[in-house]
Amino acid sequence: MKTRIAFQGERGAFSEQAAHQLISASLDLVPCETFEKTFGHVTRGRAHACIVPIENTLAGSIHKNLDLLLKHRFTIVGETNVRIEHHLIALRGTTLREIRRVISHPVALEQCQKFLQQHPHLKSEMAYDTAGGVKMIVDQGWRDTAAIAGIWAAQWYRCGILQKNIEDHHENYTRFWLLRKESRKRRPSVQWPWTGRTGNKTSIVFSTRNLPGALFKCLSVFALRDIDLTKIESRPVIGRPFEYLFYIDFLGNVAEERCQNALRHLGEVTDFLRVLGCYPRG
Amino acid sequence: MKTRIAFQGERGAFSEQAAHQLISASLDLVPCETFEKTFGHVTRGRAHACIVPIENTLAGSIHKNLDLLLKHRFTIVGETNVRIEHHLIALRGTTLREIRRVISHPVALEQCQKFLQQHPHLKSEMAYDTAGGVKMIVDQGWRDTAAIAGIWAAQWYRCGILQKNIEDHHENYTRFWLLRKESRKRRPSVQWPWTGRTGNKTSIVFSTRNLPGALFKCLSVFALRDIDLTKIESRPVIGRPFEYLFYIDFLGNVAEERCQNALRHLGEVTDFLRVLGCYPRG
């Protein structure tokens, strides 16, 4: 049985690359139009898991997916970092001289400003998705249009690469999480490749009252036990001014005694605490 | 002399609304195509200051503007929160029945999914900018197209509102910062409206080595002095794995003794520390 993974975008998207980086097994990839539909597929059992971007080093956190993760009560079962390399992709046999228009997701266009400024005769237009732009070119047979997308999109739609690595910053990474429904079953229908391996990273979310030193108390539970944090982010709770959610990632497995002690201690000083997942570091 | 403020987008953008919320004086607003150009205008002295979005409650931090702020060494001189209300805007006299297409910035389209799902015959298309979509409709005279944008865009382009508040979440705010060049002149050419008022909020950025407890030590300098933090965010330093930048906002004025002590103490436990600005809380 193939592992069915839902993702947002068209075939050839960076999410698809992330799925292949994480899972070596044969995959059945399910493209979805929106992030809501991606999560919905898993909720309704149409996919075993979904893979979603959580954070881009240049663009920042994708809060929408953190919200959907909380709402759907999914568990993080894996993470991976994809280096975002943008290429100029067109129908095979097309040359750069024929191109008059460049289409892509607005974030990708934004990340290739230097290239676009060096080629001022190219008109840039937005598409819903990087890979979706390549699909449009193929579907419509446009010979005057190129798309900005990753190598997977070029390969999936059998297109040519007119120019490689046109991104402004080469140190551009997106972090993806693989998410599945919390399962009470002893034997899940799909064996994740790292089953039996020990997760060494844990993600949690908690809230505190907005009192001076509240966060300091929360961090003390980790510092007292020499637990290393790899990320911290605060976010106002929507609709409740002066209350904050904190997202923290730390290195450790929830089954370890020091981590269990830290989480119990953290429960004493927070209003709300949830473990989002424990998984191998990407 | 009018205060010249650069912003990204077309006239009628949410940034323009932010500028008017912050500054009661008569403004000369300078629309810019990109955030780089917005900062560039201030650097080259073509504008007194710029106003840029830093964070949206639903979409997250806009890291790009934090990067540009560091790169250009600007100072934050004010902040304001704009409630994002999306309206369906069309040429005056047009009715909803005539509309076949909706254009807007992808984030705005994303934030009006419920409305778009309730009207499946409306084709949605992306535009560079919310206000820019309204401008396109007016420039082209499109009677079959509506734009999703704020009230300011409708007023600026003298358009009608077909449906108000079509955003999915009404608790949708964007935080804007007003930024200017650090000036050594005693008498700036423009008097900011809060000159003489005391800033009660300070934003800083610092980096630490990735050692367990490093952040805890940093936060202790505030907790020991009962200084309240209103935001914390970590971000990997681009190109230097395992090093992090922390952005912190705290309540207090840099001239206060306890804040000066805290910052001096923080300097002892960080590799890099910069005060981004001290300004009245938005």
Side-chain angles (χ1 to χ4, degrees), chain B residues 235-246:
Chain B
R235 197 178 161 202
V237 181
I238 293 167
R240 285 189 291 168
F242 309 113
E243 286 187 45
Y244 294 81
L245 281 179
F246 295 93

Side-chain angles (χ1 to χ4, degrees), chain B residues 5-276:
Chain B
I5 307 283
F7 70 101
Q8 189 273 327
E10 290 287 353
R11 291 304 307 264
F14 287 108
S15 296
E16 188 169 329
Q17 186 175 342
H20 283 287
Q21 273 183 210
L22 260 178
I23 309 169
S24 55
S26 168
L27 295 182
D28 184 4
L29 289 157
V30 187
C32 301
E33 207 183 313
T34 62
F35 288 122
E36 278 85 357
K37 288 182 184 172
T38 309
F39 278 77
H41 258 70
V42 180
T43 299
R44 285 190 296 276
R46 291 190 200 154
H48 297 107
C50 64
I51 193 149
V52 294
I54 282 300
E55 166 173 40
N56 173 266
T57 47
L58 299 175
S61 283
I62 298 144
H63 281 176
K64 168 141 212 158
N65 286 333
L66 294 172
D67 290 345
L68 286 167
L69 169 58
L70 273 185
K71 183 179 157 195
H72 288 263
R73 297 190 144 266
F74 284 3
T75 301
I76 310 162
V77 289
E79 81 165 358
T80 191
N81 294 299
V82 172
R83 177 162 164 218
I84 303 298
E85 295 183 85
H86 292 305
H87 309 303
L88 191 69
I89 296 167
L91 290 175
R92 282 198 184 157
T94 314
T95 62
L96 187 50
R97 287 194 180 180
E98 293 171 72
I99 302 301
R100 290 288 167 269
R101 186 170 61 151
V102 175
I103 60 176
S104 193
H105 187 278
V107 172
L109 290 171
E110 175 73 38
Q111 293 182 345
C112 300
Q113 281 299 311
K114 283 181 200 158
F115 172 84
L116 293 171
Q117 281 161 12
Q118 284 160 7
H119 300 80
H121 68 288
L122 296 177
K123 196 182 157 207
S124 59
E125 279 181 24
M126 293 195 284
Y128 260 99
D129 181 34
T130 53
V134 182
K135 183 174 187 288
M136 276 167 74
I137 290 173
V138 172
D139 287 349
Q140 309 286 334
W142 287 330
R143 296 194 62 85
D144 65 340
T145 306
I148 296 174
I151 185 83
W152 283 72
Q155 288 171 351
W156 180 263
Y157 299 104
R158 299 171 186 274
C159 281
I161 294 181
L162 293 179
Q163 195 164 329
K164 275 193 154 185
N165 291 90
I166 60 169
E167 68 274 9
D168 297 344
H169 297 279
H170 298 312
E171 292 284 342
N172 182 1
Y173 292 87
T174 298
R175 184 177 169 217
F176 288 85
W177 275 346
L178 183 67
L179 308 171
R180 66 172 173 84
K181 269 198 286 190
E182 283 184 49
S183 169
R184 291 180 188 276
K185 275 193 275 180
R186 292 261 168 129
R187 287 193 174 203
S189 57
V190 171
Q191 292 291 316
W192 301 106
W194 46 85
T195 301
R197 268 171 68 188
T198 313
N200 57 359
K201 190 170 174 182
T202 301
S203 293
I204 59 171
V205 59
F206 60 85
S207 68
T208 65
R209 300 275 163 75
N210 186 29
L211 300 170
L215 179 60
F216 179 71
K217 273 190 196 166
C218 295
L219 294 189
S220 75
V221 313
F222 301 103
L224 290 169
R225 294 168 179 95
D226 290 332
I227 295 171
D228 197 5
L229 307 185
T230 60
K231 176 180 169 148
I232 180 166
E233 186 163 336
S234 71
R235 197 178 161 202
V237 181
I238 293 167
R240 285 189 291 168
F242 309 113
E243 286 187 45
Y244 294 81
L245 281 179
F246 295 93
Y247 288 89
I248 279 185
D249 295 347
F250 64 84
L251 297 182
N253 188 295
V254 279
E256 283 173 61
E257 196 182 348
R258 60 180 192 132
C259 294
Q260 291 205 336
N261 290 339
L263 290 173
R264 196 182 315 112
H265 186 171
L266 185 59
E268 293 171 39
V269 293
T270 52
D271 294 331
F272 159 77
L273 168 63
R274 194 146 117 216
V275 175
L276 299 172

